[in-house]
PDB file of all heavy atoms in Angstrom:
ATOM      1  N   VAL G 813      12.640   7.489  -0.338  1.00 96.00           N
ATOM      2  CA  VAL G 813      12.185   6.203   0.191  1.00 96.00           C
ATOM      3  C   VAL G 813      11.116   6.429   1.263  1.00 96.00           C
ATOM      4  O   VAL G 813      10.106   5.727   1.302  1.00 96.00           O
ATOM      5  CB  VAL G 813      13.363   5.361   0.733  1.00 96.00           C
ATOM      6  CG1 VAL G 813      12.873   4.144   1.500  1.00 96.00           C
ATOM      7  CG2 VAL G 813      14.278   4.940  -0.419  1.00 96.00           C
ATOM      8  N   ALA G 814      11.310   7.433   2.112  1.00 95.00           N
ATOM      9  CA  ALA G 814      10.300   7.736   3.134  1.00 95.00           C
ATOM     10  C   ALA G 814       8.967   8.101   2.482  1.00 95.00           C
ATOM     11  O   ALA G 814       7.896   7.671   2.936  1.00 95.00           O
ATOM     12  CB  ALA G 814      10.777   8.869   4.035  1.00 95.00           C
ATOM     13  N   LEU G 815       9.006   8.853   1.416  1.00 93.00           N
ATOM     14  CA  LEU G 815       7.795   9.239   0.706  1.00 93.00           C
ATOM     15  C   LEU G 815       7.143   8.023   0.047  1.00 93.00           C
ATOM     16  O   LEU G 815       5.926   7.835   0.132  1.00 93.00           O
ATOM     17  CB  LEU G 815       8.118  10.310  -0.330  1.00 93.00           C
ATOM     18  CG  LEU G 815       6.955  11.013  -1.013  1.00 93.00           C
ATOM     19  CD1 LEU G 815       5.993  11.622  -0.002  1.00 93.00           C
ATOM     20  CD2 LEU G 815       7.481  12.097  -1.945  1.00 93.00           C
ATOM     21  N   ILE G 816       7.933   7.180  -0.574  1.00 95.00           N
ATOM     22  CA  ILE G 816       7.413   5.948  -1.188  1.00 95.00           C
ATOM     23  C   ILE G 816       6.739   5.091  -0.129  1.00 95.00           C
ATOM     24  O   ILE G 816       5.628   4.578  -0.331  1.00 95.00           O
ATOM     25  CB  ILE G 816       8.543   5.169  -1.890  1.00 95.00           C
ATOM     26  CG1 ILE G 816       9.034   5.938  -3.118  1.00 95.00           C
ATOM     27  CG2 ILE G 816       8.098   3.761  -2.274  1.00 95.00           C
ATOM     28  CD1 ILE G 816      10.346   5.421  -3.693  1.00 95.00           C
ATOM     29  N   GLN G 817       7.390   4.947   1.018  1.00 96.00           N
ATOM     30  CA  GLN G 817       6.815   4.133   2.100  1.00 96.00           C
ATOM     31  C   GLN G 817       5.511   4.732   2.612  1.00 96.00           C
ATOM     32  O   GLN G 817       4.570   4.002   2.928  1.00 96.00           O
ATOM     33  CB  GLN G 817       7.825   3.975   3.235  1.00 96.00           C
ATOM     34  CG  GLN G 817       8.994   3.093   2.858  1.00 96.00           C
ATOM     35  CD  GLN G 817      10.067   3.044   3.929  1.00 96.00           C
ATOM     36  OE1 GLN G 817      10.397   4.061   4.535  1.00 96.00           O
ATOM     37  NE2 GLN G 817      10.619   1.873   4.149  1.00 96.00           N
ATOM     38  N   ALA G 818       5.434   6.070   2.675  1.00 94.00           N
ATOM     39  CA  ALA G 818       4.197   6.722   3.116  1.00 94.00           C
ATOM     40  C   ALA G 818       3.067   6.449   2.127  1.00 94.00           C
ATOM     41  O   ALA G 818       1.936   6.155   2.530  1.00 94.00           O
ATOM     42  CB  ALA G 818       4.429   8.226   3.277  1.00 94.00           C
ATOM     43  N   PHE G 819       3.372   6.535   0.834  1.00 94.00           N
ATOM     44  CA  PHE G 819       2.347   6.243  -0.175  1.00 94.00           C
ATOM     45  C   PHE G 819       1.919   4.781  -0.116  1.00 94.00           C
ATOM     46  O   PHE G 819       0.733   4.466  -0.225  1.00 94.00           O
ATOM     47  CB  PHE G 819       2.850   6.590  -1.584  1.00 94.00           C
ATOM     48  CG  PHE G 819       2.856   8.055  -1.889  1.00 94.00           C
ATOM     49  CD1 PHE G 819       3.980   8.653  -2.436  1.00 94.00           C
ATOM     50  CD2 PHE G 819       1.741   8.856  -1.661  1.00 94.00           C
ATOM     51  CE1 PHE G 819       3.999  10.014  -2.742  1.00 94.00           C
ATOM     52  CE2 PHE G 819       1.746  10.210  -1.957  1.00 94.00           C
ATOM     53  CZ  PHE G 819       2.870  10.791  -2.501  1.00 94.00           C
ATOM     54  N   LEU G 820       2.862   3.875   0.049  1.00 94.00           N
ATOM     55  CA  LEU G 820       2.525   2.455   0.157  1.00 94.00           C
ATOM     56  C   LEU G 820       1.674   2.190   1.392  1.00 94.00           C
ATOM     57  O   LEU G 820       0.695   1.441   1.334  1.00 94.00           O
ATOM     58  CB  LEU G 820       3.795   1.598   0.177  1.00 94.00           C
ATOM     59  CG  LEU G 820       4.569   1.523  -1.139  1.00 94.00           C
ATOM     60  CD1 LEU G 820       5.933   0.862  -0.917  1.00 94.00           C
ATOM     61  CD2 LEU G 820       3.774   0.775  -2.199  1.00 94.00           C
ATOM     62  N   ALA G 821       2.025   2.828   2.516  1.00 93.00           N
ATOM     63  CA  ALA G 821       1.244   2.667   3.749  1.00 93.00           C
ATOM     64  C   ALA G 821      -0.168   3.218   3.592  1.00 93.00           C
ATOM     65  O   ALA G 821      -1.097   2.750   4.257  1.00 93.00           O
ATOM     66  CB  ALA G 821       1.954   3.351   4.913  1.00 93.00           C
ATOM     67  N   ALA G 822      -0.330   4.180   2.688  1.00 91.00           N
ATOM     68  CA  ALA G 822      -1.652   4.758   2.427  1.00 91.00           C
ATOM     69  C   ALA G 822      -2.456   3.902   1.457  1.00 91.00           C
ATOM     70  O   ALA G 822      -3.565   4.282   1.069  1.00 91.00           O
ATOM     71  CB  ALA G 822      -1.503   6.179   1.881  1.00 91.00           C
ATOM     72  N   GLY G 823      -1.904   2.768   1.054  1.00 88.00           N
ATOM     73  CA  GLY G 823      -2.645   1.852   0.206  1.00 88.00           C
ATOM     74  C   GLY G 823      -2.440   2.039  -1.282  1.00 88.00           C
ATOM     75  O   GLY G 823      -3.133   1.424  -2.089  1.00 88.00           O
ATOM     76  N   MET G 824      -1.493   2.874  -1.658  1.00 91.00           N
ATOM     77  CA  MET G 824      -1.263   3.117  -3.079  1.00 91.00           C
ATOM     78  C   MET G 824      -0.381   2.028  -3.675  1.00 91.00           C
ATOM     79  O   MET G 824       0.521   1.524  -3.017  1.00 91.00           O
ATOM     80  CB  MET G 824      -0.631   4.487  -3.281  1.00 91.00           C
ATOM     81  CG  MET G 824      -1.547   5.619  -2.838  1.00 91.00           C
ATOM     82  SD  MET G 824      -0.842   7.247  -3.095  1.00 91.00           S
ATOM     83  CE  MET G 824      -1.091   7.390  -4.861  1.00 91.00           C
ATOM     84  N   SER G 825      -0.642   1.690  -4.920  1.00 90.00           N
ATOM     85  CA  SER G 825       0.165   0.683  -5.608  1.00 90.00           C
ATOM     86  C   SER G 825       1.444   1.326  -6.131  1.00 90.00           C
ATOM     87  O   SER G 825       1.503   2.546  -6.334  1.00 90.00           O
ATOM     88  CB  SER G 825      -0.628   0.097  -6.786  1.00 90.00           C
ATOM     89  OG  SER G 825      -0.800   1.079  -7.798  1.00 90.00           O
ATOM     90  N   SER G 826       2.444   0.508  -6.363  1.00 92.00           N
ATOM     91  CA  SER G 826       3.697   1.040  -6.905  1.00 92.00           C
ATOM     92  C   SER G 826       3.452   1.631  -8.295  1.00 92.00           C
ATOM     93  O   SER G 826       4.105   2.603  -8.680  1.00 92.00           O
ATOM     94  CB  SER G 826       4.778  -0.037  -6.942  1.00 92.00           C
ATOM     95  OG  SER G 826       4.358  -1.144  -7.704  1.00 92.00           O
ATOM     96  N   ARG G 827       2.509   1.085  -9.028  1.00 91.00           N
ATOM     97  CA  ARG G 827       2.188   1.621 -10.360  1.00 91.00           C
ATOM     98  C   ARG G 827       1.658   3.051 -10.246  1.00 91.00           C
ATOM     99  O   ARG G 827       2.039   3.927 -11.017  1.00 91.00           O
ATOM    100  CB  ARG G 827       1.155   0.731 -11.047  1.00 91.00           C
ATOM    101  CG  ARG G 827       0.832   1.182 -12.468  1.00 91.00           C
ATOM    102  CD  ARG G 827      -0.175   0.288 -13.169  1.00 91.00           C
ATOM    103  NE  ARG G 827       0.221  -1.102 -13.123  1.00 91.00           N
ATOM    104  CZ  ARG G 827      -0.626  -2.100 -12.841  1.00 91.00           C
ATOM    105  NH1 ARG G 827      -1.887  -1.869 -12.610  1.00 91.00           N
ATOM    106  NH2 ARG G 827      -0.203  -3.344 -12.816  1.00 91.00           N
ATOM    107  N   THR G 828       0.790   3.297  -9.278  1.00 91.00           N
ATOM    108  CA  THR G 828       0.249   4.645  -9.080  1.00 91.00           C
ATOM    109  C   THR G 828       1.334   5.589  -8.570  1.00 91.00           C
ATOM    110  O   THR G 828       1.419   6.735  -9.007  1.00 91.00           O
ATOM    111  CB  THR G 828      -0.945   4.609  -8.104  1.00 91.00           C
ATOM    112  OG1 THR G 828      -1.939   3.733  -8.642  1.00 91.00           O
ATOM    113  CG2 THR G 828      -1.537   5.982  -7.910  1.00 91.00           C
ATOM    114  N   ILE G 829       2.157   5.102  -7.661  1.00 93.00           N
ATOM    115  CA  ILE G 829       3.249   5.932  -7.145  1.00 93.00           C
ATOM    116  C   ILE G 829       4.191   6.324  -8.279  1.00 93.00           C
ATOM    117  O   ILE G 829       4.664   7.459  -8.333  1.00 93.00           O
ATOM    118  CB  ILE G 829       4.004   5.207  -6.010  1.00 93.00           C
ATOM    119  CG1 ILE G 829       3.064   4.935  -4.826  1.00 93.00           C
ATOM    120  CG2 ILE G 829       5.204   6.028  -5.544  1.00 93.00           C
ATOM    121  CD1 ILE G 829       3.617   3.977  -3.794  1.00 93.00           C
ATOM    122  N   ALA G 830       4.412   5.414  -9.211  1.00 92.00           N
ATOM    123  CA  ALA G 830       5.298   5.702 -10.342  1.00 92.00           C
ATOM    124  C   ALA G 830       4.778   6.879 -11.167  1.00 92.00           C
ATOM    125  O   ALA G 830       5.568   7.643 -11.728  1.00 92.00           O
ATOM    126  CB  ALA G 830       5.462   4.462 -11.221  1.00 92.00           C
ATOM    127  N   LEU G 831       3.464   7.045 -11.216  1.00 89.00           N
ATOM    128  CA  LEU G 831       2.894   8.187 -11.941  1.00 89.00           C
ATOM    129  C   LEU G 831       3.281   9.512 -11.290  1.00 89.00           C
ATOM    130  O   LEU G 831       3.268  10.553 -11.943  1.00 89.00           O
ATOM    131  CB  LEU G 831       1.369   8.080 -12.007  1.00 89.00           C
ATOM    132  CG  LEU G 831       0.783   6.888 -12.758  1.00 89.00           C
ATOM    133  CD1 LEU G 831      -0.734   6.843 -12.588  1.00 89.00           C
ATOM    134  CD2 LEU G 831       1.177   6.939 -14.219  1.00 89.00           C
TER     135      LEU G 831
END
Side-chain angles (χ1 to χ4, degrees):
V813 170
L815 190 55
I816 292 167
Q817 290 174 319
F819 284 131
L820 290 170
M824 296 181 77
S825 68
S826 58
R827 183 179 307 136
T828 302
I829 298 168
L831 297 173

